[in-house]
Amino acid sequence: MSEAALTSPVTATIRARSPQLRNSELTVARFILENPREVVGLTVNELAAAVGLSRATVIRAAKRFGFSGYQQLRIGLAQEVGRSPLGPGEHTGPYGDLLSTIGRSVEDLRSAGSLLDAATVDRATELIAHAGNVFVVGCGLSGPVADDLAMRLSALGIAVSRTVDPLAQQIAAFSLPPGSVCVAVSGSGRNSATLAVVRAVREREVPVVLITTSEESPTSRSADLVLLVALPGMSDPTGITEITRLPLYLLGQALAGAVGHLVPDRGVAEKVAATVNAFAVQP
C-alpha cells in the first residue's frame, strides 16, 4: 500500500489516480465514489456483481488505487465515511440541490491537502519566496486560479509576471530572466496550452512548480515539483459545471500564506492595504 493511501482519505486517493485507470477500473472507481457507504458493506463478489465485472478486476482496481487488496480499501473507506455527513438534507428542488452542493464542497475541502508531500511543499515555497521573478501560468478553467495566486504573491512584494493569453504565455516563457521560477496551475494536467508553456520554460532551465490534481499527466512529468491537490469528482477537463476548482483555489491561498512567512519584509503590506481600500465604495 502506498504512503498516499495510508495517509489520505480513500476517495481522495482514488480521484487522484482516476486519470490513469483503465475503463474497467474506472467503472469500479466511479461506483465507489458515488456509493461509498454502500460499498463498505459489500464483499468483493457483491461489488463485482454490482458493477458487472469480475472479482479479479475489482481486486486489481483496488491495487491500482494504492491498496494491498479490496479488504484494506474497504476498511479505509469505512473509516472515512464514518467522518462524513449522511448526505443531502430534507430539502428538495433547487434549494436542496444548492445546499447539497455546498455541503459536498465543504467536505471536499477537508481532504484538499491530503495528497501533499511535505518535502515538496518545503522546496516549492523556498523557490517561490526567493525567486527574482515568479511566472504564473494557467489556462482554461485553471486560469482564474492562476490569476488569484498571482495577485496574492504580488501582495507579498514578489515580482510576478502573469498574462492570460496562451500564446503570450508561450512567448513570455522564452524570455524569462535568470533566477525565475514558473508556477503552473493545471487541474487535469492535460491542457495543451499550459503544457506548451511549461516545456518552453524548461528549455530556459527555469524550475517549474505545478499545482494539479493528477499525479500522472504530461504536465506533471514535465514539472520539477508537483503539488498534488485532492480534487472531488473525476478529473475530467471538460467538467465545467461538475468539477469544482475550490481545492485549487484553497491550495493557492495556502501556498501564498506559506511563502509569506519566508519572504523578507519588503514594505508593501501597508501599500497593498491602502490600494485595496481605495477600491472600496465609501458610505
Side-chain angles (χ1 to χ4, degrees):
M1 184 176 180
S2 68
E3 183 178 350
L6 278 169
T7 59
S8 307
V10 174
T11 52
T13 302
I14 294 175
R15 286 162 180 158
R17 300 191 179 199
S18 62
Q20 294 80 52
L21 300 177
R22 302 182 182 91
N23 288 338
S24 59
E25 296 162 349
L26 193 57
T27 297
V28 178
R30 290 186 185 279
F31 188 89
I32 293 174
L33 293 175
E34 293 171 0
N35 308 279
R37 291 183 178 276
E38 179 182 348
V39 172
V40 170
L42 298 179
T43 66
V44 64
N45 291 332
E46 291 171 339
L47 177 56
V51 297
L53 297 169
S54 68
R55 180 177 186 275
T57 299
V58 172
I59 295 175
R60 183 177 66 246
K63 292 181 178 179
R64 288 269 286 170
F65 301 157
F67 297 87
S68 62
Y70 175 71
Q71 184 64 20
Q72 196 167 33
L73 181 153
R74 192 165 64 151
I75 292 173
L77 192 62
Q79 295 172 338
E80 178 178 346
V81 299
R83 298 190 300 269
S84 302
L86 292 176
E90 59 185 11
H91 301 287
T92 59
Y95 181 55
D97 291 341
L98 186 149
L99 292 181
S100 178
T101 299
I102 292 175
R104 287 196 306 270
S105 297
V106 170
E107 288 303 311
D108 292 334
L109 290 176
R110 296 183 190 278
S111 61
S114 59
L115 302 178
L116 292 170
D117 173 73
T120 302
V121 171
D122 290 346
R123 179 59 180 153
T125 52
E126 286 282 348
L127 280 174
I128 296 169
H130 299 103
N133 174 70
V134 179
F135 180 44
V136 181
V137 176
C139 302
L141 294 176
S142 298
V145 183
D147 292 339
D148 183 77
L149 177 59
M151 183 175 293
R152 291 179 185 277
L153 294 177
S154 294
L156 296 173
I158 295 175
V160 175
S161 56
R162 164 77 178 143
T163 182
V164 177
D165 183 76
L167 179 58
Q169 290 183 40
Q170 292 185 46
I171 294 173
F174 290 112
S175 59
L176 293 177
S180 295
V181 170
C182 174
V183 179
V185 183
S186 180
S188 67
R190 287 169 170 75
N191 185 290
S192 59
T194 301
L195 177 59
V197 176
V198 168
R199 287 175 172 170
V201 168
R202 291 302 303 274
E203 289 185 20
R204 297 279 297 174
E205 298 185 352
V206 170
V208 176
V209 177
L210 174 66
I211 297 175
T212 185
T213 67
S214 177
E215 60 183 341
E216 287 294 334
S217 70
T219 312
S220 296
R221 290 190 289 271
S222 298
D224 295 278
L225 298 171
V226 177
L227 300 179
L228 190 60
V229 187
L231 183 68
M234 298 313 219
S235 298
D236 180 0
T238 65
I240 296 177
T241 58
E242 293 80 9
I243 305 299
T244 178
R245 258 49 185 181
L246 284 177
L248 292 170
Y249 276 108
L250 179 60
L251 180 60
Q253 176 182 340
L255 179 63
V259 169
H261 293 296
L262 302 178
V263 175
D265 184 10
R266 302 183 185 182
V268 300
E270 293 183 0
K271 293 181 180 179
V272 169
T275 301
V276 172
N277 289 333
F279 279 88
V281 176
Q282 301 301 318

